[in-house]
Amino acid sequence: MLAEHYLTIKSAHVGLVMLSGSLFFLRGIAVLCGLRWAMHASVRYTSYLIDTGLLTAALMLLGILRLNPFTQPWLLVKLGLLVAYIVCGSYALKRAPTPVGKAVAFTAALACFVTIYLVARGAWGVRAW
């Protein structure tokens, strides 16, 4: 049964969060510094692989805990912030036409990431798992 692996899946989820956030941070700094490696295919595909694992672990946790993100306010907040993080991250790394736009989008994406973390940790009185 999947529930027997809860701690392993949760640990993988937390580890993948840290990997994903760290790689995004490094890529964002590199893009702002004009370094080409940040957008190299191997780096992008590594990011996709990490994020796919992260999403898979999150969905497994939702299934194990029988949580519906649309009935749990803290999960709904995290989901909305995740969408904002993805959009801001896309502008920070590629879509913003100017360096200032990339910097603003990068800052906004990092703010979303930190807020997602704080919500998950229950910083605003909302307890996550």
Side-chain angles (χ1 to χ4, degrees):
M1 181 167 254
L2 198 56
E4 297 170 6
H5 304 286
Y6 170 77
L7 290 177
T8 302
I9 296 167
K10 181 180 176 186
S11 295
H13 180 72
V14 171
L16 289 166
V17 165
M18 292 299 110
L19 274 174
S20 178
S22 297
L23 183 56
F24 173 72
F25 180 78
L26 291 174
R27 288 180 71 204
I29 295 296
V31 164
L32 293 175
C33 292
L35 303 175
R36 291 184 181 204
W37 69 262
M39 296 308 291
H40 190 271
S42 63
V43 176
R44 287 194 335 268
Y45 291 128
T46 298
S47 178
Y48 301 154
L49 182 64
I50 292 167
D51 291 343
T52 299
L54 176 56
L55 178 60
T56 301
L59 292 173
M60 292 170 89
L61 289 170
L62 287 175
I64 290 169
L65 297 171
R66 299 175 197 251
L67 293 173
N68 179 345
F70 298 104
T71 61
Q72 299 291 322
W74 67 274
L75 277 174
L76 193 54
V77 168
K78 281 182 64 175
L79 193 58
L81 285 166
L82 177 62
V83 171
Y85 171 71
I86 291 167
V87 170
C88 291
S90 176
Y91 275 87
L93 296 179
K94 183 164 78 170
R95 300 193 192 295
T98 66
V100 170
K102 287 182 188 309
V104 169
F106 181 58
T107 302
L110 291 176
C112 288
F113 183 86
V114 169
T115 306
I116 291 168
Y117 172 81
L118 292 173
V119 168
R121 299 295 302 165
W124 285 292
V126 179
R127 271 288 148 219
W129 40 63

